[in-house]
Coordinates of all heavy atoms in Angstrom, one line a residue:
R43 N -8.4 2.6 3.1 CA -9.3 3.7 2.8 C -10.1 3.3 1.6 O -9.6 2.9 0.5 CB -8.5 5.0 2.6 CG -9.2 6.1 2.1 CD -8.3 7.3 2.2 NE -7.5 7.5 0.9 CZ -7.9 8.4 0.0 NH1 -8.9 9.2 0.2 NH2 -7.1 8.6 -1.1
Q44 N -11.4 3.4 1.7 CA -12.3 3.0 0.6 C -12.7 4.3 -0.2 O -12.9 5.3 0.4 CB -13.6 2.4 1.3 CG -14.4 1.6 0.3 CD -13.7 0.4 -0.3 OE1 -13.3 0.5 -1.4 NE2 -13.6 -0.7 0.4
V45 N -12.9 4.1 -1.5 CA -13.3 5.2 -2.3 C -14.8 5.2 -2.3 O -15.5 4.2 -2.5 CB -12.8 5.0 -3.8 CG1 -13.4 6.0 -4.7 CG2 -11.3 5.2 -3.8
D46 N -15.4 6.4 -2.1 CA -16.8 6.6 -2.1 C -17.4 6.3 -3.4 O -16.8 6.6 -4.5 CB -17.1 8.1 -1.7 CG -18.5 8.4 -1.6 OD1 -19.2 8.3 -2.6 OD2 -19.0 8.8 -0.5
I47 N -18.6 5.6 -3.5 CA -19.2 5.2 -4.7 C -19.5 6.5 -5.6 O -19.3 6.4 -6.8 CB -20.6 4.5 -4.4 CG1 -20.3 3.2 -3.6 CG2 -21.4 4.2 -5.7 CD1 -19.5 2.2 -4.3
A48 N -19.9 7.6 -5.0 CA -20.1 8.8 -5.7 C -18.8 9.2 -6.5 O -18.9 9.8 -7.6 CB -20.6 9.9 -4.8
Y49 N -17.7 9.0 -5.9 CA -16.4 9.4 -6.5 C -16.3 8.6 -7.8 O -15.8 9.1 -8.8 CB -15.2 9.1 -5.6 CG -14.0 9.7 -6.1 CD1 -13.7 11.1 -6.0 CD2 -13.0 8.9 -6.7 CE1 -12.6 11.7 -6.5 CE2 -11.8 9.5 -7.2 CZ -11.6 10.9 -7.2 OH -10.5 11.4 -7.7
C50 N -16.7 7.3 -7.8 CA -16.6 6.5 -9.0 C -17.5 7.0 -10.1 O -17.4 6.6 -11.3 CB -16.8 5.0 -8.7 SG -15.5 4.2 -7.8
K51 N -18.4 7.9 -9.8 CA -19.3 8.4 -10.8 C -18.7 9.6 -11.5 O -19.3 10.1 -12.5 CB -20.7 8.8 -10.2 CG -21.4 7.6 -9.6 CD -22.1 6.8 -10.6 CE -23.0 5.7 -10.0 NZ -23.5 4.8 -10.9
K52 N -17.6 10.1 -11.0 CA -17.0 11.3 -11.7 C -16.4 10.9 -13.0 O -16.2 9.7 -13.2 CB -15.9 11.9 -10.7 CG -16.5 12.5 -9.5 CD -15.4 13.2 -8.7 CE -16.1 13.9 -7.5 NZ -15.1 14.7 -6.7
P53 N -16.1 11.8 -13.9 CA -15.5 11.5 -15.2 C -14.2 10.7 -15.0 O -13.4 10.9 -14.1 CB -15.1 12.8 -15.8 CG -16.1 13.8 -15.1 CD -16.3 13.3 -13.7
A54 N -14.0 9.7 -15.9 CA -12.8 8.8 -15.8 C -11.5 9.6 -15.8 O -10.6 9.2 -15.1 CB -12.8 7.8 -17.0
T55 N -11.4 10.7 -16.5 CA -10.1 11.4 -16.5 C -9.9 12.1 -15.2 O -8.7 12.4 -14.8 CB -10.1 12.4 -17.6 OG1 -11.2 13.3 -17.6 CG2 -10.0 11.8 -19.0
T56 N -10.9 12.3 -14.4 CA -10.8 12.9 -13.1 C -10.2 11.9 -12.1 O -9.4 12.2 -11.3 CB -12.1 13.5 -12.5 OG1 -12.6 14.4 -13.4 CG2 -12.0 14.0 -11.1
T57 N -10.7 10.7 -12.2 CA -10.4 9.7 -11.2 C -9.2 8.8 -11.7 O -8.4 8.4 -10.8 CB -11.5 8.7 -11.0 OG1 -12.0 8.2 -12.2 CG2 -12.7 9.4 -10.3
M58 N -9.0 8.5 -13.0 CA -8.0 7.7 -13.4 C -7.0 8.4 -14.3 O -6.1 7.8 -14.9 CB -8.5 6.5 -14.2 CG -9.3 5.5 -13.3 SD -10.0 4.1 -14.2 CE -11.4 4.8 -15.0
G59 N -7.1 9.7 -14.4 CA -6.1 10.5 -15.2 C -6.4 10.4 -16.7 O -7.3 9.7 -17.1
S60 N -5.5 11.1 -17.5 CA -5.7 11.1 -18.9 C -4.5 10.4 -19.6 O -4.6 10.1 -20.8 CB -5.8 12.5 -19.4 OG -4.7 13.2 -19.1
G61 N -3.5 10.0 -18.8 CA -2.4 9.3 -19.4 C -2.6 7.8 -19.4 O -3.6 7.3 -19.0
T62 N -1.7 7.1 -20.0 CA -1.7 5.6 -20.0 C -1.2 5.0 -18.7 O -0.2 5.5 -18.2 CB -0.8 5.1 -21.2 OG1 -1.3 5.6 -22.4 CG2 -0.8 3.6 -21.3
L63 N -2.0 4.0 -18.2 CA -1.6 3.3 -17.0 C -1.2 1.9 -17.4 O -2.0 1.2 -18.2 CB -2.7 3.2 -16.0 CG -3.2 4.6 -15.5 CD1 -4.4 4.4 -14.6 CD2 -2.1 5.3 -14.7
S64 N -0.1 1.4 -17.0 CA 0.4 0.1 -17.4 C 1.3 -0.5 -16.3 O 1.6 0.2 -15.3 CB 1.1 0.1 -18.7 OG 2.2 0.9 -18.6
N65 N 1.7 -1.7 -16.5 CA 2.6 -2.4 -15.5 C 3.7 -1.5 -15.2 O 4.4 -1.0 -16.0 CB 3.1 -3.7 -16.1 CG 3.3 -4.8 -15.1 OD1 3.4 -4.5 -13.9 ND2 3.2 -6.1 -15.5
G66 N 3.9 -1.3 -13.9 CA 5.0 -0.4 -13.4 C 4.5 1.0 -12.9 O 5.2 1.7 -12.2
S67 N 3.3 1.4 -13.4 CA 2.7 2.6 -13.0 C 2.3 2.6 -11.5 O 2.1 1.5 -11.0 CB 1.4 2.9 -13.8 OG 1.7 3.1 -15.1
S68 N 2.3 3.7 -10.9 CA 1.8 3.7 -9.4 C 1.3 5.1 -9.1 O 1.4 6.1 -9.9 CB 3.0 3.4 -8.5 OG 4.0 4.4 -8.6
G69 N 0.6 5.2 -8.0 CA 0.0 6.4 -7.6 C -1.5 6.4 -7.5 O -2.1 5.4 -7.6
R70 N -2.0 7.7 -7.3 CA -3.5 7.8 -7.0 C -4.3 7.3 -8.2 O -5.4 6.8 -8.0 CB -3.8 9.2 -6.6 CG -3.7 10.2 -7.7 CD -4.1 11.6 -7.1 NE -3.8 12.7 -8.1 CZ -4.7 13.4 -8.6 NH1 -6.0 13.1 -8.4 NH2 -4.4 14.3 -9.5
Y71 N -3.9 7.5 -9.5 CA -4.7 7.1 -10.6 C -4.8 5.6 -10.6 O -5.8 5.0 -10.9 CB -4.1 7.6 -11.9 CG -4.3 9.1 -12.0 CD1 -3.3 9.9 -12.6 CD2 -5.4 9.8 -11.6 CE1 -3.4 11.3 -12.7 CE2 -5.6 11.2 -11.7 CZ -4.6 11.9 -12.3 OH -4.7 13.3 -12.4
V72 N -3.7 4.9 -10.3 CA -3.7 3.4 -10.2 C -4.6 3.0 -9.1 O -5.4 2.0 -9.2 CB -2.3 2.8 -10.1 CG1 -2.4 1.3 -9.9 CG2 -1.5 3.2 -11.3
Y73 N -4.5 3.7 -8.0 CA -5.4 3.4 -6.8 C -6.8 3.4 -7.2 O -7.6 2.5 -6.9 CB -5.0 4.4 -5.7 CG -5.8 4.3 -4.4 CD1 -5.4 3.4 -3.4 CD2 -6.9 5.1 -4.2 CE1 -6.2 3.3 -2.3 CE2 -7.7 5.0 -3.0 CZ -7.3 4.1 -2.1 OH -8.0 4.0 -0.9
H74 N -7.2 4.5 -7.9 CA -8.6 4.6 -8.3 C -9.0 3.6 -9.4 O -10.1 3.0 -9.4 CB -8.9 6.0 -8.8 CG -8.8 7.0 -7.7 ND1 -9.6 7.0 -6.6 CD2 -8.0 8.1 -7.5 CE1 -9.3 8.0 -5.8 NE2 -8.3 8.7 -6.3
L75 N -8.1 3.3 -10.3 CA -8.3 2.3 -11.3 C -8.6 0.9 -10.6 O -9.5 0.2 -11.0 CB -7.0 2.1 -12.2 CG -7.0 0.8 -13.0 CD1 -8.1 0.8 -14.1 CD2 -5.6 0.6 -13.6
Q76 N -7.8 0.6 -9.6 CA -8.1 -0.6 -8.9 C -9.4 -0.7 -8.2 O -10.1 -1.7 -8.2 CB -6.9 -0.9 -7.8 CG -5.6 -1.2 -8.5 CD -4.4 -1.1 -7.6 OE1 -4.4 -0.4 -6.6 NE2 -3.4 -1.9 -7.9
H77 N -9.9 0.4 -7.7 CA -11.3 0.5 -7.2 C -12.3 0.3 -8.3 O -13.3 -0.5 -8.1 CB -11.5 1.8 -6.4 CG -11.0 1.8 -5.0 ND1 -11.7 1.1 -4.0 CD2 -10.0 2.4 -4.5 CE1 -11.0 1.3 -2.9 NE2 -10.0 2.1 -3.2
Y78 N -12.1 0.9 -9.4 CA -13.0 0.6 -10.6 C -13.0 -0.9 -10.9 O -14.0 -1.5 -11.1 CB -12.6 1.4 -11.8 CG -13.2 2.8 -11.9 CD1 -12.7 3.9 -11.1 CD2 -14.2 3.1 -12.7 CE1 -13.2 5.1 -11.2 CE2 -14.7 4.4 -12.8 CZ -14.2 5.4 -12.0 OH -14.8 6.6 -12.1
L79 N -11.8 -1.4 -11.0 CA -11.7 -2.9 -11.3 C -12.4 -3.7 -10.3 O -13.1 -4.7 -10.6 CB -10.2 -3.3 -11.4 CG -9.5 -2.8 -12.7 CD1 -8.0 -3.0 -12.5 CD2 -10.1 -3.4 -14.0
N80 N -12.3 -3.3 -9.0 CA -13.0 -4.1 -8.0 C -14.5 -4.0 -8.1 O -15.3 -5.0 -7.9 CB -12.6 -3.7 -6.6 CG -11.4 -4.4 -6.1 OD1 -11.0 -5.5 -6.7 ND2 -10.7 -3.9 -5.1
R81 N -15.0 -2.9 -8.6 CA -16.5 -2.7 -8.8 C -16.9 -3.7 -10.0 O -17.9 -4.4 -9.9 CB -16.9 -1.3 -9.2 CG -16.6 -0.3 -8.1 CD -17.7 -0.2 -7.1 NE -19.1 -0.2 -7.5 CZ -19.8 0.8 -7.9 NH1 -19.4 2.0 -7.9 NH2 -21.1 0.6 -8.3
Y82 N -16.1 -3.7 -11.0 CA -16.3 -4.6 -12.1 C -16.2 -6.1 -11.7 O -17.1 -6.9 -11.9 CB -15.2 -4.4 -13.3 CG -15.0 -5.6 -14.1 CD1 -15.9 -6.1 -15.0 CD2 -13.8 -6.3 -14.0 CE1 -15.7 -7.2 -15.8 CE2 -13.5 -7.4 -14.8 CZ -14.5 -7.9 -15.6 OH -14.2 -9.0 -16.4
L83 N -15.2 -6.4 -10.9 CA -15.0 -7.8 -10.4 C -16.2 -8.2 -9.6 O -16.7 -9.4 -9.7 CB -13.7 -7.9 -9.7 CG -12.4 -7.8 -10.5 CD1 -11.2 -7.6 -9.6 CD2 -12.2 -8.9 -11.5
A84 N -16.6 -7.4 -8.6 CA -17.7 -7.7 -7.7 C -19.0 -7.9 -8.6 O -19.8 -8.8 -8.3 CB -17.9 -6.6 -6.7
S85 N -19.2 -7.1 -9.6 CA -20.4 -7.2 -10.4 C -20.5 -8.5 -11.2 O -21.6 -9.0 -11.5 CB -20.6 -6.1 -11.4 OG -19.7 -6.2 -12.5
R86 N -19.3 -9.1 -11.4 CA -19.2 -10.4 -12.1 C -19.0 -11.6 -11.2 O -18.8 -12.7 -11.6 CB -18.1 -10.4 -13.1 CG -18.1 -9.2 -14.1 CD -19.1 -9.3 -15.2 NE -18.9 -10.5 -15.9 CZ -19.8 -11.3 -16.4 NH1 -21.1 -11.0 -16.3 NH2 -19.5 -12.4 -17.1
S87 N -19.1 -11.3 -9.9 CA -18.9 -12.3 -8.8 C -17.5 -12.9 -8.8 O -17.3 -14.1 -8.5 CB -20.0 -13.4 -8.9 OG -21.3 -12.9 -8.7
Y88 N -16.5 -12.1 -9.2 CA -15.1 -12.5 -9.1 C -14.5 -12.0 -7.8 O -15.0 -11.0 -7.2 CB -14.3 -11.9 -10.3 CG -14.8 -12.4 -11.7 CD1 -14.8 -11.5 -12.7 CD2 -15.2 -13.7 -11.9 CE1 -15.2 -11.9 -14.0 CE2 -15.6 -14.1 -13.2 CZ -15.6 -13.2 -14.2 OH -16.0 -13.6 -15.5
A89 N -13.5 -12.6 -7.4 CA -12.8 -12.1 -6.2 C -12.1 -10.8 -6.4 O -11.6 -10.5 -7.5 CB -11.7 -13.1 -5.8
K90 N -12.2 -9.9 -5.4 CA -11.6 -8.6 -5.6 C -10.1 -8.7 -5.4 O -9.6 -9.6 -4.9 CB -12.2 -7.7 -4.5 CG -13.7 -7.3 -4.7 CD -14.1 -6.3 -3.7 CE -15.5 -5.8 -3.9 NZ -15.9 -4.8 -2.9
M91 N -9.5 -7.6 -5.9 CA -8.0 -7.5 -5.8 C -7.6 -6.5 -4.7 O -8.4 -5.7 -4.2 CB -7.5 -7.1 -7.1 CG -8.0 -5.7 -7.6 SD -7.4 -5.2 -9.2 CE -5.7 -5.0 -8.8
T92 N -6.4 -6.6 -4.3 CA -5.8 -5.6 -3.3 C -5.7 -4.3 -4.0 O -5.2 -4.2 -5.1 CB -4.5 -6.1 -2.8 OG1 -4.7 -7.4 -2.2 CG2 -3.9 -5.2 -1.8
V93 N -6.1 -3.3 -3.3 CA -6.0 -1.9 -3.8 C -4.7 -1.3 -3.1 O -4.8 -1.0 -1.9 CB -7.2 -1.1 -3.5 CG1 -7.0 0.4 -3.9 CG2 -8.4 -1.7 -4.2
D94 N -3.7 -1.1 -3.8 CA -2.4 -0.6 -3.2 C -1.8 0.5 -4.0 O -0.7 1.0 -3.7 CB -1.4 -1.7 -3.0 CG -1.0 -2.4 -4.3 OD1 -1.4 -2.0 -5.4 OD2 -0.3 -3.4 -4.2
G95 N -2.4 0.9 -5.2 CA -1.8 2.0 -6.0 C -0.6 1.6 -6.8 O 0.0 2.4 -7.4
S96 N -0.4 0.3 -6.9 CA 0.8 -0.2 -7.7 C 0.3 -1.1 -8.8 O -0.4 -2.1 -8.5 CB 1.7 -1.0 -6.7 OG 2.8 -1.5 -7.5
F97 N 0.6 -0.8 -10.0 CA 0.1 -1.5 -11.2 C 1.1 -2.7 -11.4 O 2.2 -2.4 -12.0 CB 0.0 -0.6 -12.4 CG -0.8 -1.1 -13.5 CD1 -1.8 -0.4 -14.1 CD2 -0.5 -2.4 -14.1 CE1 -2.6 -0.8 -15.1 CE2 -1.3 -2.8 -15.2 CZ -2.3 -2.0 -15.7
G98 N 0.8 -3.9 -11.0 CA 1.6 -5.0 -11.2 C 0.9 -6.1 -12.0 O -0.1 -5.8 -12.7
N99 N 1.4 -7.3 -11.9 CA 0.8 -8.4 -12.7 C -0.7 -8.6 -12.4 O -1.4 -9.0 -13.3 CB 1.6 -9.6 -12.6 CG 3.0 -9.5 -13.2 OD1 3.2 -8.7 -14.1 ND2 4.0 -10.2 -12.6
T100 N -1.1 -8.5 -11.2 CA -2.5 -8.8 -10.8 C -3.4 -7.7 -11.5 O -4.4 -8.0 -12.1 CB -2.7 -8.8 -9.3 OG1 -1.9 -9.9 -8.8 CG2 -4.2 -9.0 -9.0
T101 N -3.0 -6.5 -11.4 CA -3.8 -5.4 -12.0 C -3.9 -5.6 -13.5 O -4.9 -5.5 -14.1 CB -3.2 -4.0 -11.6 OG1 -3.2 -3.9 -10.2 CG2 -4.1 -2.9 -12.2
K102 N -2.7 -5.9 -14.1 CA -2.7 -6.2 -15.5 C -3.7 -7.3 -15.9 O -4.4 -7.2 -16.9 CB -1.3 -6.5 -16.0 CG -1.1 -6.7 -17.5 CD 0.3 -7.0 -17.8 CE 0.6 -7.1 -19.3 NZ 0.1 -8.3 -19.9
A103 N -3.7 -8.4 -15.1 CA -4.6 -9.5 -15.4 C -6.0 -9.1 -15.3 O -6.9 -9.5 -16.1 CB -4.2 -10.7 -14.5
K104 N -6.3 -8.3 -14.3 CA -7.7 -7.8 -14.1 C -8.1 -6.9 -15.2 O -9.3 -6.9 -15.7 CB -7.9 -7.2 -12.7 CG -7.6 -8.1 -11.6 CD -8.2 -9.4 -11.6 CE -7.9 -10.2 -10.4 NZ -8.4 -11.6 -10.4
V105 N -7.2 -6.0 -15.7 CA -7.5 -5.1 -16.8 C -7.8 -6.0 -18.1 O -8.8 -5.8 -18.8 CB -6.4 -4.1 -17.1 CG1 -6.6 -3.4 -18.4 CG2 -6.3 -3.1 -15.9
E106 N -7.0 -7.0 -18.3 CA -7.2 -7.9 -19.4 C -8.5 -8.6 -19.3 O -9.2 -8.8 -20.3 CB -6.1 -8.9 -19.5 CG -4.8 -8.3 -20.0 CD -3.6 -9.3 -19.9 OE1 -3.7 -10.4 -19.3 OE2 -2.5 -8.9 -20.5
S107 N -8.9 -9.0 -18.1 CA -10.2 -9.7 -17.9 C -11.3 -8.7 -18.3 O -12.3 -9.1 -19.0 CB -10.3 -10.1 -16.4 OG -11.7 -10.5 -16.2
F108 N -11.2 -7.5 -17.9 CA -12.2 -6.5 -18.2 C -12.3 -6.3 -19.7 O -13.4 -6.2 -20.4 CB -12.0 -5.1 -17.5 CG -13.0 -4.1 -18.1 CD1 -14.3 -4.1 -17.7 CD2 -12.5 -3.2 -19.0 CE1 -15.2 -3.2 -18.2 CE2 -13.4 -2.2 -19.5 CZ -14.8 -2.3 -19.1
Q109 N -11.1 -6.2 -20.4 CA -11.1 -5.9 -21.8 C -11.7 -7.1 -22.6 O -12.5 -6.9 -23.5 CB -9.6 -5.7 -22.3 CG -9.0 -4.4 -21.8 CD -7.5 -4.3 -21.9 OE1 -6.8 -5.3 -21.9 NE2 -7.0 -3.1 -22.1
Q110 N -11.4 -8.3 -22.1 CA -12.1 -9.5 -22.8 C -13.6 -9.5 -22.6 O -14.3 -9.8 -23.5 CB -11.4 -10.8 -22.2 CG -10.0 -11.0 -22.7 CD -9.3 -12.1 -21.9 OE1 -9.8 -12.6 -20.9 NE2 -8.2 -12.5 -22.4
Y111 N -14.0 -9.2 -21.4 CA -15.4 -9.1 -21.1 C -16.1 -8.1 -22.0 O -17.2 -8.3 -22.6 CB -15.7 -8.8 -19.6 CG -17.2 -8.6 -19.3 CD1 -18.1 -9.6 -19.3 CD2 -17.7 -7.3 -19.2 CE1 -19.4 -9.4 -19.1 CE2 -19.0 -7.0 -19.0 CZ -19.9 -8.1 -19.0 OH -21.2 -7.9 -18.8
W112 N -15.5 -6.9 -22.0 CA -16.1 -5.8 -22.8 C -16.2 -6.2 -24.3 O -17.3 -6.0 -24.9 CB -15.2 -4.6 -22.7 CG -15.7 -3.4 -23.5 CD1 -15.4 -3.1 -24.8 CD2 -16.6 -2.4 -23.0 NE1 -16.1 -1.9 -25.1 CE2 -16.9 -1.5 -24.1 CE3 -17.3 -2.2 -21.8 CZ2 -17.7 -0.4 -24.0 CZ3 -18.1 -1.1 -21.7 CH2 -18.3 -0.2 -22.8
N113 N -15.2 -6.9 -24.8 CA -15.2 -7.3 -26.2 C -16.3 -8.3 -26.4 O -16.8 -8.4 -27.6 CB -13.8 -7.8 -26.6 CG -12.8 -6.7 -26.7 OD1 -13.1 -5.6 -26.7 ND2 -11.6 -7.1 -26.9
S114 N -16.6 -9.1 -25.4 CA -17.7 -10.1 -25.6 C -19.1 -9.6 -25.6 O -20.0 -10.2 -25.9 CB -17.5 -11.2 -24.5 OG -18.0 -10.7 -23.3
T115 N -19.2 -8.3 -25.1 CA -20.5 -7.7 -25.0 C -20.8 -6.4 -25.8 O -21.9 -5.9 -25.7 CB -20.8 -7.4 -23.5 OG1 -19.8 -6.5 -23.0 CG2 -20.8 -8.7 -22.6
H116 N -19.7 -6.0 -26.5 CA -19.9 -4.7 -27.2 C -19.3 -4.8 -28.6 O -18.3 -5.6 -28.8 CB -19.1 -3.6 -26.4 CG -19.8 -3.2 -25.2 ND1 -19.6 -3.9 -24.0 CD2 -20.6 -2.2 -24.9 CE1 -20.3 -3.4 -23.0 NE2 -20.9 -2.3 -23.5
S117 N -19.8 -4.1 -29.5 CA -19.3 -4.1 -30.9 C -18.0 -3.3 -31.0 O -17.2 -3.6 -31.9 CB -20.4 -3.6 -31.9 OG -20.7 -2.3 -31.5
T118 N -17.8 -2.3 -30.2 CA -16.6 -1.6 -30.2 C -15.6 -2.3 -29.4 O -15.8 -2.5 -28.2 CB -16.8 -0.1 -29.6 OG1 -17.8 0.5 -30.3 CG2 -15.5 0.7 -29.7
K119 N -14.5 -2.8 -30.0 CA -13.5 -3.7 -29.3 C -12.4 -2.9 -28.7 O -11.9 -1.9 -29.2 CB -13.0 -4.7 -30.3 CG -14.1 -5.6 -31.0 CD -14.9 -6.3 -30.0 CE -15.9 -7.2 -30.7 NZ -17.0 -7.7 -29.9
L120 N -11.9 -3.5 -27.6 CA -10.7 -3.0 -26.9 C -9.5 -3.9 -27.3 O -9.7 -5.1 -27.4 CB -10.9 -3.0 -25.4 CG -12.0 -2.1 -24.9 CD1 -12.2 -2.3 -23.4 CD2 -11.7 -0.6 -25.2
T121 N -8.3 -3.4 -27.3 CA -7.1 -4.2 -27.4 C -6.9 -4.9 -26.1 O -6.9 -4.2 -25.1 CB -5.9 -3.4 -27.8 OG1 -6.2 -2.7 -29.0 CG2 -4.7 -4.2 -28.0
V122 N -6.8 -6.2 -26.1 CA -6.6 -7.0 -24.8 C -5.1 -7.0 -24.6 O -4.4 -7.9 -25.1 CB -7.2 -8.4 -24.9 CG1 -7.0 -9.1 -23.6 CG2 -8.7 -8.3 -25.2
D123 N -4.6 -6.0 -23.9 CA -3.2 -5.9 -23.6 C -2.8 -5.6 -22.2 O -1.7 -5.5 -21.8 CB -2.6 -4.9 -24.5 CG -3.2 -3.5 -24.4 OD1 -4.1 -3.3 -23.6 OD2 -2.8 -2.6 -25.2
G124 N -3.9 -5.4 -21.3 CA -3.6 -5.1 -19.9 C -3.2 -3.6 -19.7 O -2.8 -3.3 -18.6
V125 N -3.3 -2.8 -20.7 CA -2.9 -1.4 -20.6 C -4.2 -0.5 -20.6 O -5.1 -0.8 -21.3 CB -2.0 -1.0 -21.8 CG1 -1.7 0.5 -21.8 CG2 -0.7 -1.8 -21.8
V126 N -4.2 0.5 -19.7 CA -5.3 1.3 -19.6 C -5.0 2.7 -20.3 O -4.4 3.5 -19.8 CB -5.7 1.6 -18.2 CG1 -6.9 2.5 -18.1 CG2 -6.0 0.3 -17.5
G127 N -5.5 2.8 -21.6 CA -5.4 4.0 -22.3 C -6.8 4.6 -22.4 O -7.7 4.2 -21.7
P128 N -7.0 5.6 -23.3 CA -8.3 6.3 -23.3 C -9.5 5.3 -23.5 O -10.5 5.5 -22.9 CB -8.1 7.3 -24.5 CG -6.7 7.4 -24.7 CD -6.0 6.1 -24.2
N129 N -9.4 4.4 -24.4 CA -10.5 3.5 -24.8 C -10.9 2.6 -23.6 O -12.1 2.5 -23.2 CB -10.2 2.7 -26.0 CG -10.1 3.6 -27.3 OD1 -10.6 4.7 -27.3 ND2 -9.4 3.1 -28.3
T130 N -9.9 2.0 -23.0 CA -10.2 1.1 -21.9 C -10.7 1.9 -20.7 O -11.6 1.5 -20.0 CB -8.9 0.3 -21.5 OG1 -8.6 -0.6 -22.6 CG2 -9.1 -0.6 -20.2
R131 N -10.0 3.0 -20.4 CA -10.4 3.9 -19.3 C -11.9 4.3 -19.4 O -12.7 4.2 -18.5 CB -9.6 5.1 -19.2 CG -10.0 6.1 -18.1 CD -9.0 7.3 -17.9 NE -8.5 7.8 -19.2 CZ -7.2 7.6 -19.6 NH1 -6.4 6.8 -18.9 NH2 -6.8 8.1 -20.8
N132 N -12.3 4.7 -20.6 CA -13.7 5.2 -20.9 C -14.6 4.0 -20.8 O -15.7 4.2 -20.2 CB -13.8 5.9 -22.2 CG -13.1 7.2 -22.2 OD1 -12.9 7.8 -21.1 ND2 -12.6 7.7 -23.3
A133 N -14.3 2.9 -21.3 CA -15.1 1.7 -21.2 C -15.3 1.2 -19.8 O -16.5 0.9 -19.4 CB -14.5 0.5 -22.1
L134 N -14.3 1.2 -19.0 CA -14.4 0.8 -17.6 C -15.3 1.8 -16.8 O -16.1 1.4 -16.1 CB -13.0 0.7 -17.0 CG -12.9 0.2 -15.5 CD1 -13.6 -1.1 -15.3 CD2 -11.5 0.2 -15.0
A135 N -15.1 3.1 -17.1 CA -15.9 4.1 -16.4 C -17.3 3.9 -16.8 O -18.2 4.0 -16.0 CB -15.4 5.5 -16.7
Q136 N -17.6 3.7 -18.1 CA -19.0 3.5 -18.6 C -19.6 2.3 -17.9 O -20.8 2.4 -17.5 CB -19.0 3.3 -20.1 CG -20.3 3.1 -20.7 CD -20.2 2.9 -22.2 OE1 -19.4 3.4 -22.9 NE2 -21.2 2.2 -22.7
Y137 N -18.9 1.2 -17.8 CA -19.4 0.0 -17.2 C -19.7 0.3 -15.7 O -20.8 0.0 -15.2 CB -18.3 -1.1 -17.3 CG -18.8 -2.4 -16.7 CD1 -19.6 -3.3 -17.4 CD2 -18.5 -2.7 -15.4 CE1 -20.0 -4.5 -16.8 CE2 -19.0 -3.9 -14.8 CZ -19.7 -4.8 -15.5 OH -20.2 -5.9 -15.0
V138 N -18.8 0.9 -15.0 CA -19.0 1.1 -13.5 C -20.1 2.1 -13.3 O -20.9 2.0 -12.4 CB -17.6 1.6 -12.8 CG1 -17.9 2.1 -11.4 CG2 -16.6 0.4 -12.8
H139 N -20.1 3.2 -14.1 CA -21.2 4.2 -13.9 C -22.6 3.6 -14.1 O -23.6 4.1 -13.6 CB -21.0 5.4 -14.9 CG -19.7 6.1 -14.5 ND1 -19.3 7.2 -15.3 CD2 -18.8 6.1 -13.5 CE1 -18.2 7.7 -14.8 NE2 -17.9 7.0 -13.7
A140 N -22.7 2.5 -14.9 CA -24.0 1.9 -15.2 C -24.4 1.0 -14.1 O -25.6 0.5 -14.1 CB -23.9 1.2 -16.5
L141 N -23.5 0.6 -13.2 CA -23.9 -0.3 -12.1 C -24.8 0.3 -11.1 O -24.9 1.5 -10.9 CB -22.6 -0.8 -11.4 CG -21.7 -1.6 -12.2 CD1 -20.4 -2.0 -11.3 CD2 -22.3 -2.9 -12.6

């Protein structure tokens, strides 16, 4: 099932929740996070990842990739740890909403 592009335009806390997502997390917020990451990956011409709602090593690596990219293009830096807290969630949403 594909997430509608309009859905990705909703506030990040609506789609990815307000809690921290990290290795071992699962459910609909991770599912939506993975769709956001795929929008980021496609915009950078990177291979997309499997969307399965399970936050494993691949999702962690893609989050780290986004965090590194963000840090290379913005003065406000993210911690590159593969964890999706408020700062990374908001940055990813800002990036995807601008596409």
Side-chain angles (χ1 to χ4, degrees):
R43 171 171 91 102
Q44 198 61 260
V45 169
D46 183 295
I47 298 302
Y49 190 77
C50 286
K51 299 281 186 187
K52 291 186 178 183
T55 54
T56 300
T57 55
M58 292 181 279
S60 58
T62 300
L63 299 174
S64 60
N65 213 336
S67 297
S68 62
R70 70 182 173 110
Y71 292 140
V72 174
Y73 179 84
H74 294 300
L75 165 66
Q76 291 169 329
H77 277 287
Y78 271 78
L79 288 170
N80 274 342
R81 297 279 318 272
Y82 154 71
L83 293 167
S85 75
R86 306 285 302 144
S87 298
Y88 297 143
K90 290 184 178 183
M91 60 183 292
T92 299
V93 175
D94 60 5
S96 180
F97 197 127
N99 292 333
T100 300
T101 302
K102 182 177 188 282
K104 301 308 182 188
V105 170
E106 289 172 348
S107 169
F108 172 76
Q109 290 167 330
Q110 290 169 348
Y111 172 75
W112 182 268
N113 289 350
S114 73
T115 60
H116 292 79
S117 59
T118 305
K119 304 302 183 194
L120 300 173
T121 302
V122 180
D123 57 4
V125 174
V126 180
N129 295 336
T130 296
R131 178 176 36 258
N132 291 335
L134 182 58
Q136 181 182 329
Y137 181 87
V138 169
H139 293 176
L141 294 176

